[in-house]
Amino acid sequence: MGKKDIINASIRTISQHPIGLTIDFNEIISISFKAKNISDSILKGRIISAHKFNKINIIHSVWKDSDNKDVNFYNCDIKDCSLINVKFEYCNFNDASHINNHFEDIYYANCSFNQTSITDSEYRNVIFNECDFTNIVISSSRFIQCQFLKCITSNKFIESSLVLDCLFEQTDIQVETILENFGINIDGLINNLI
């Protein structure tokens, strides 16, 4: 068995049984995941469109020091994960659920979260630049020192969440979002305007 055969066998194993592995995408030119879940794993390296996630769920894993561009994470649920020092550009997170995750030092640029549900997650020092949050539901989450720059929203956006020291620049926010998440009540808001 030659070196190329060993590499192909290893990639086949990773695609079919990605449990308890360290997956370094810098070492994998392309892959098409066949399994239902990536779990208890470490994901790192540069992920590109040649890495096909095929609606696979990412569960109880650590995703760190990763640069991701043009990746389709459509219908890929992310649950009980920790993402640290990760960059996403032009990635599709539509029609997914992100539950009970920790995001720190993350940069999203031109990513889409249309029809996605985000709950019970914490975002620290996360930048969302020109992202699409159309029809998204974010609830019971925490945003600390985050930035939303030129993002598209279409609904209440964030509800029943803690929002501390965040910047919203050229991002539409409905009044209900401000009232519920920033600790302001309607009486205090009206009295300050008069």
Side-chain angles (χ1 to χ4, degrees):
M1 186 179 261
K3 184 177 180 179
K4 187 175 181 179
D5 294 328
I6 293 169
I7 291 170
N8 288 337
S10 178
I11 290 172
R12 192 169 31 260
T13 300
I14 292 169
S15 76
Q16 295 173 354
H17 195 70
I19 298 172
L21 302 175
T22 295
I23 304 171
D24 187 346
F25 289 93
N26 290 334
E27 297 176 2
I28 301 171
I29 294 170
S30 68
I31 190 168
S32 182
F33 285 99
K34 306 294 184 211
K36 183 176 179 182
N37 298 318
I38 295 172
S39 63
D40 301 304
S41 294
I42 297 172
L43 287 71
K44 62 182 185 174
R46 183 165 175 76
I47 302 174
I48 57 173
S49 60
H51 301 120
K52 308 291 184 197
F53 283 80
N54 301 324
K55 301 180 183 180
I56 193 169
N57 300 317
I58 303 168
I59 302 169
H60 199 257
S61 294
V62 175
W63 197 336
K64 65 179 184 176
D65 303 323
S66 179
D67 187 2
N68 310 282
K69 189 168 185 177
D70 295 316
V71 184
N72 188 4
F73 296 108
Y74 172 82
N75 208 261
C76 293
D77 294 345
I78 301 173
K79 183 178 179 190
D80 299 322
C81 291
S82 179
L83 286 79
I84 302 166
N85 192 32
V86 180
K87 182 178 183 181
F88 296 98
E89 292 181 281
Y90 299 98
C91 293
N92 176 354
F93 294 97
N94 294 345
D95 291 318
S97 293
H98 297 183
I99 303 167
N100 198 34
N101 299 302
H102 174 81
F103 299 85
E104 189 165 347
D105 297 325
I106 309 294
Y107 180 75
Y108 293 98
N110 298 289
C111 294
S112 180
F113 296 87
N114 193 338
Q115 300 289 334
T116 296
S117 172
I118 297 174
T119 56
D120 298 316
S121 294
E122 181 173 307
Y123 294 80
R124 288 185 174 271
N125 194 33
V126 176
I127 297 172
F128 299 94
N129 187 14
E130 297 188 51
C131 292
D132 182 355
F133 292 111
T134 305
N135 297 315
I136 191 171
V137 174
I138 300 174
S139 66
S140 303
S141 294
R142 292 163 303 287
F143 294 88
I144 301 161
Q145 296 178 329
C146 295
Q147 297 178 40
F148 296 84
L149 312 172
K150 301 178 185 174
C151 294
I152 299 168
T153 65
S154 68
N155 58 358
K156 199 172 180 182
F157 186 39
I158 301 172
E159 57 187 41
S160 302
S161 296
L162 179 64
V163 180
L164 295 172
D165 197 19
C166 292
L167 172 68
F168 293 85
E169 184 177 287
Q170 295 181 18
T171 300
D172 289 334
I173 305 172
Q174 291 185 0
V175 172
E176 293 88 354
T177 301
I178 296 169
L179 295 176
E180 288 183 12
N181 298 296
F182 292 87
I184 301 170
N185 63 47
I186 192 70
D187 294 330
L189 186 63
I190 292 172
N191 288 337
N192 285 330
L193 295 175
I194 297 178

